Amino acid sequence: TDARTVTCDVSDDNPSGGEAGVAAVTLSYQLDSLTAVVNTVSLTDGGDGSWSGDIPGQSAGTFVYWSLTATDVGADDQLPSCK
């Protein structure tokens, strides 16, 4: 029931040219249903390609649906997301 830390490594090499890098990573989560309200947490940049943040603690038995979305520095394009 404690908060759970989510950590991921995200990179944007931008092989086709232009500015490379990741502007932001957002954790989205829903509780017990994919039709529930979507909650978001902005992850913190570790400076080495790692990003982290916490999903708040939930009651025992709560099912948490989550996904990660990264935003490119170049033009605010979304990078492929993980679920």
Side-chain angles (χ1 to χ4, degrees):
T1 57
D2 293 336
R4 300 291 179 175
T5 300
V6 173
T7 303
C8 61
D9 292 325
V10 183
S11 64
D12 172 35
D13 299 333
N14 214 7
S16 61
E19 188 176 3
V22 178
V25 178
T26 302
L27 166 68
S28 300
Y29 67 95
Q30 295 168 285
L31 304 175
D32 289 326
S33 171
L34 290 173
T35 58
V37 172
V38 176
N39 301 286
T40 60
V41 174
S42 295
L43 300 189
T44 301
D45 183 357
D48 59 356
S50 68
W51 294 76
S52 63
D54 293 330
I55 296 176
Q58 304 298 322
S59 301
T62 301
F63 197 92
V64 179
Y65 296 90
W66 60 273
S67 66
L68 295 170
T69 303
T71 303
D72 183 287
V73 295
D76 290 334
D77 293 332
Q78 285 188 351
L79 301 171
S81 62
C82 305
K83 295 186 181 187

